Amino acid sequence: MTDATALRRRTQDLLRAHPPADTDRADFLRARFDAGLAWVHYPEGLGGLGAPRALQAVVDAELEAAGAPDNDPRRIGIGLGMAAPTVLAYGTEEQKRRWLRPLWTGDEVWCQLFSEPGAGSDLAALGTRAIRDGDSWVVNGQKVWTSSAHTARWAILIARTDPDLPKHRGISYFVCDMTDPGVQVRPLRQITGEAEFNEVFLTDVRIPDTHRLGDVGDGWKVAQTTLMNERVAIGGMRLPREGGMIAPVAETWRSRPELRTHDLHQRLLGLWVEAEVARLTGERLRQQLAQGQPGPEGSGMKLTFARLNQQISGLEVELLGDEGLLYDDWTMRRPEIVDFTGREAGYRYLRSKGNSIEGGTSEVLLNIVAERVLGLPSEPRTDKDIAWKDLAR
Ligand SMILES: Cc1cc2nc3c(=O)[nH]c(=O)nc-3n(C[C@H](O)[C@H](O)[C@H](O)COP(=O)(O)OP(=O)(O)OC[C@H]3O[C@@H](n4cnc5c(N)ncnc54)[C@H](O)[C@@H]3O)c2cc1C
């Protein structure tokens, strides 16, 4: 029986055996994984103990109090939030053992090769082809907006394996080795001047069939697990009270009384309350997740996250007046993480524009909430029974 007391004891044993002050960071993280304290709700042998997800907080609090290093979730967010739950749900035992440990410790970074120039919201229209050749697949195509492709060792990839079937049915799901010589990564500059994401060209990339997740032709179903987890990962991060985007603007409000106006005060209070409601809703969503896969509620969470980030960062720029407009560092960096709070107001304002596009646009998420939460009639879909190769493109 793994309860809070047992977990606390187990965490203290880990800390005694590997004192953080005298242990190499990577070694500590590997030992934590092997002790089943990485993500306690994962199965034994895969970084967990099969314990309720909510008990992770007990472990995290003990480790934080002891000054133990963490695995820097911002750097490996795609691996943790999207690849891992998909590998767990669809991977073979061998695949889980090969990929989950270095994914969690951050030894291997993951990226997501889903979007294409002609397939974003309508992702099932994708045209990257995977053709079977003996024990492997040969992949050709172009992906776009691939965050972290420049640091990634592995990618989750969806590709068309049967163009004769309707678009949702001829897709398969693979894990692609980003060091394959056929993978070319080129930076794409964003509105901030930086290049967090990339376009990725795949030319005769060989993927062993043992790197397929799920059955051939079942890729759309597998991708739903990734996408539903993505929305929770983007919109439902665990935050302290007054954490996230509201933190810097509240801090400026307190420390710079000369900037205050009555109108901004009312708006700041309204947004502060909304941010707190969103944070607590995220907490509830994570508790629901303890019961299994995320549902469409994650889409609602991500919608709110995008709207609030844009409104709060807009208010911050207004509050700072001329100062808020000062964003003049256009160095093309290749950041490994998106750090909203450690940067200037102008950066937050510009970067949050992408929040209503990444992980599903707000319009598409509204459609999902309308159909799957509110039960409204679905959009007309005229192409769902036509072979992909016969669709107009
Ligand atoms: C910062 C950032 C990081 C990203 N990282 C990744 C990544 O790592 N990997 C990856 O694969 N992709 C990534 N993306 C891509 C992202 O998933 C797509 O941009 C997104 O799905 C939208 O696709 P699109 O850009 O092709 O726009 P389109 O699908 O062409 O949409 C254009 C407009 O039409 C609207 N629209 C489209 N369909 C409908 C509809 N049915 N109803 C109402 N309105 C509709 C959209 O809301 C949008 O306003 C990232 C994007 C951003 C901004």
Side-chain angles (χ1 to χ4, degrees):
M1 167 77 178
T2 311
D3 58 12
T5 312
L7 275 179
R8 209 167 281 123
R9 204 172 308 121
R10 204 175 169 91
T11 310
Q12 286 158 2
D13 289 346
L14 170 76
L15 288 164
R16 254 191 308 278
H18 306 274
D22 309 325
T23 310
D24 173 71
R25 177 177 179 275
D27 288 342
F28 184 86
L29 292 173
R30 290 180 201 129
R32 177 175 165 187
F33 187 94
D34 295 339
L37 298 170
W39 31 32
V40 294
H41 57 293
Y42 270 52
E44 279 191 47
L46 296 173
L49 297 165
R53 191 181 180 122
L55 289 181
Q56 187 65 47
V58 174
V59 175
D60 292 349
E62 286 289 314
L63 291 174
E64 201 184 321
D70 72 10
N71 58 349
D72 197 354
R74 291 175 310 176
R75 188 178 147 262
I76 54 173
I78 294 175
L80 289 177
M82 295 149 66
T86 314
V87 170
L88 185 68
Y90 288 97
T92 61
E93 277 313 302
E94 201 183 330
Q95 289 173 331
K96 291 178 201 171
R97 284 189 195 283
R98 164 62 188 89
W99 285 319
L100 290 177
R101 187 174 187 255
L103 179 160
W104 187 87
T105 57
D107 288 321
E108 292 180 344
V109 174
W110 287 63
C111 68
Q112 178 198 24
L113 292 172
F114 278 25
S115 304
E116 297 183 4
S121 303
D122 187 12
L123 184 58
L126 61 90
T128 292
R129 280 286 272 130
I131 297 177
R132 184 87 190 227
D133 181 26
D135 288 342
S136 53
W137 296 82
V138 179
V139 181
N140 282 282
Q142 185 196 344
K143 296 289 178 175
V144 74
W145 320 125
T146 318
S147 308
S148 308
H150 51 292
T151 54
R153 169 71 176 80
W154 298 103
I156 41 176
L157 162 76
I158 45 177
R160 188 152 306 281
T161 43
D162 190 344
D164 293 326
L165 289 175
K167 62 180 182 178
H168 292 94
R169 303 220 306 264
I171 294 173
S172 300
Y173 196 119
F174 301 95
V175 172
C176 173
D177 182 347
M178 292 296 284
T179 65
D180 185 288
V183 177
Q184 193 193 13
V185 176
R186 296 189 198 158
L188 281 175
R189 263 188 118 169
Q190 291 154 247
I191 193 173
T192 55
E194 302 184 332
E196 270 166 48
F197 53 30
N198 306 271
E199 48 186 354
V200 177
F201 295 84
L202 306 165
T203 311
D204 292 334
V205 175
R206 279 212 164 253
I207 301 185
D209 190 49
T210 50
H211 288 188
R212 175 168 44 78
L213 284 181
D215 290 337
V216 175
D218 253 358
W220 187 250
K221 189 173 88 188
V222 183
Q224 291 315 303
T225 297
T226 309
L227 295 175
M228 286 202 288
N229 278 285
E230 175 173 22
R231 282 151 202 166
V232 176
I234 296 179
M237 279 162 295
R238 173 167 280 129
L239 290 173
R241 192 176 159 104
E242 202 179 279
M245 205 65 124
I246 199 73
V249 65
E251 167 57 25
T252 305
W253 182 268
R254 292 194 186 103
S255 61
R256 307 270 308 269
E258 74 281 7
L259 298 172
R260 297 177 190 168
T261 68
H262 177 71
D263 170 53
L264 288 178
H265 189 212
Q266 295 306 314
R267 282 166 53 204
L268 176 61
L269 282 180
L271 289 170
W272 195 98
V273 170
E274 280 199 74
E276 183 62 7
V277 170
R279 184 181 79 82
L280 294 173
T281 308
E283 202 56 53
R284 207 169 51 189
L285 190 68
R286 270 187 300 280
Q287 283 168 16
Q288 277 173 14
L289 272 182
Q291 318 300 324
Q293 292 294 328
E297 298 82 2
S299 298
M301 197 65 228
K302 201 251 151 181
L303 252 177
T304 306
F305 163 84
R307 177 179 60 78
L308 280 176
N309 269 5
Q310 291 174 357
Q311 289 179 336
I312 295 170
S313 61
L315 182 108
E316 186 183 16
V317 166
E318 264 187 78
L319 175 64
L320 287 167
D322 295 350
E323 225 182 286
L325 298 176
L326 277 182
Y327 182 77
D328 55 5
D329 177 4
W330 299 104
T331 317
M332 195 185 91
R333 295 194 189 85
R334 302 281 276 145
E336 286 193 18
I337 57 167
V338 179
D339 179 12
F340 275 128
T341 45
R343 302 283 299 270
E344 60 276 59
Y347 169 82
R348 278 189 280 283
Y349 179 75
L350 293 172
R351 179 59 185 81
S352 65
K353 298 294 172 206
N355 289 157
S356 51
I357 305 172
E358 60 196 309
T361 68
S362 291
E363 291 77 15
V364 167
L365 297 185
L366 281 171
N367 284 344
I368 293 175
V369 171
E371 289 176 26
R372 300 203 214 142
V373 180
L374 303 177
L376 297 177
S378 58
E379 284 197 314
R381 293 190 177 100
T382 51
D383 58 359
K384 73 179 193 333
D385 297 319
I386 303 173
W388 175 83
K389 67 176 176 15
D390 298 328
L391 293 176
R393 271 186 294 283

